[in-house]
């Protein structure tokens, strides 16, 4: 798909069909695309916990998501994204390179995840990035090491709605030119 069309057509999807659940191979394809993202000194600190089986998805939805996100993610495969902290933005001794510190890890993960959701849109899959989730419960459920910061849960599935595009701010509201 032409890039401009792709970025305009991607939407946060909050209803998925039971049929057409993404396969393990498709999820692998999304992550391979996401891995093409730039990262701090090529540190590649993004990590993915891919919940493909229905049982584990239901368990995470029940135990780690609030009701509204639990419903929205029904029938979707779930990807928990984390990053290895105190690496991107830090030198070999573990000292921050500047004031942003672990913000660079979040930055890198965001770049990475944007490619993931765009790749999904290209494959005809819908996605929903969820920031409202219980990170510590997710850590326990998936045995995520303390060296990683749990960030988002991304639902990926066959869309059962066509959301309208929420308005974007005008260029002059967000950009200053010098
Ligand atoms: C970091 C982040 C966290 C989000 N968390 C949630 C969430 O918990 N639940 C939800 O329904 N949408 C969530 N969203 C989706 C946003 O509401 C959505 O991206 C925004 O309204 C713009 O709509 P669009 O993605 O269709 O362009 C999140 C998006 C981002 C980037």
């Amino acid at each position: 798909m032409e890039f401009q069309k792709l970025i305009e057509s991607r939407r946060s999807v909050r209803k998925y069909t039971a049929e057409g659940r993404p396969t393990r191979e498709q999820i692998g394809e999304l992550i391979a695309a996401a891995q093409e993202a730039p990262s701090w000194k090529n540190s590649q600190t993004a990590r993915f916990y891919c919940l493909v089986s229905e049982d584990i998805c239901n368990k995470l939805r029940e135990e780690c998501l609030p009701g509204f996100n639990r419903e929205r993610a029904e029938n979707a495969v779930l990807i928990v994204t984390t990053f290895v902290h105190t690496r991107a933005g830090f030198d070999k001794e573990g000292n921050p390179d500047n004031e942003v510190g672990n913000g660079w890890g979040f930055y890198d993960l965001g770049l990475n995840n944007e490619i993931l959701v765009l790749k999904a849109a290209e494959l005809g899959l819908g996605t929903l990035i969820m920031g409202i989730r219980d990170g510590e419960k997710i850590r326990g459920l998936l045995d995520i090491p303390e060296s990683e910061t749990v960030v988002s849960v991304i639902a990926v599935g066959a869309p059962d709605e066509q959301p309208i595009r929420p308005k974007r701010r005008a260029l002059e509201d967000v950009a200053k030119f010098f």
Side-chain angles (χ1 to χ4, degrees):
M1 198 189 297
E2 191 234 320
F3 187 67
Q4 185 63 25
K5 202 168 167 211
L6 180 67
I7 58 176
E8 286 172 8
S9 63
R10 181 217 55 82
R11 289 274 72 79
S12 291
V13 173
R14 297 184 172 86
K15 200 168 188 292
Y16 297 93
T17 62
E19 304 79 38
R21 234 179 126 75
T23 61
R24 185 192 171 112
E25 288 66 36
Q26 282 177 310
I27 300 299
E29 207 178 328
L30 304 187
I31 293 171
Q35 280 291 94
E36 292 300 322
S39 64
W40 182 281
K41 295 179 187 164
N42 200 26
S43 52
Q44 303 177 58
T45 58
R47 298 290 181 270
F48 307 88
Y49 295 81
C50 308
L51 283 63
V52 180
S53 95
E54 268 187 76
D55 284 354
I56 186 75
C57 286
N58 288 338
K59 201 167 163 58
L60 187 142
R61 287 196 308 113
E62 288 299 324
E63 295 177 10
C64 312
L65 296 183
F68 57 94
N69 276 341
R70 184 181 308 145
E71 257 180 50
R72 291 169 183 176
E74 197 181 354
N75 297 322
V77 161
L78 301 176
I79 304 175
V80 172
T81 77
T82 76
F83 69 93
V84 181
H85 61 74
T86 324
R87 196 170 292 174
F90 291 79
D91 66 19
K92 286 199 178 79
E93 286 72 47
N95 305 306
D97 281 303
N98 59 39
E99 78 287 357
V100 178
N102 269 310
W104 293 116
F106 287 100
Y107 190 96
D108 284 1
L109 185 65
L111 290 171
N112 176 300
N113 288 179
E114 178 62 15
I115 297 186
L116 190 151
V117 296
L118 287 174
K119 183 68 189 176
E122 189 192 41
L123 298 181
L125 296 169
T127 52
L128 179 64
I129 297 170
M130 290 175 283
I132 305 177
R133 81 292 173 274
D134 189 323
E136 281 315 299
K137 280 194 183 155
I138 293 174
R139 184 186 298 287
L141 179 68
L142 303 177
D143 204 18
I144 298 174
E146 290 294 338
S147 52
E148 296 174 30
T149 299
V150 177
V151 184
S152 69
V153 180
I154 306 181
V156 187
D160 196 19
E161 65 166 7
Q162 282 195 316
I164 52 156
R165 173 181 175 272
K167 276 203 176 131
R168 287 338 198 217
R169 291 180 195 275
L171 183 64
E172 54 272 25
D173 290 346
V174 298
K176 283 184 182 169
F177 294 84
F178 298 91

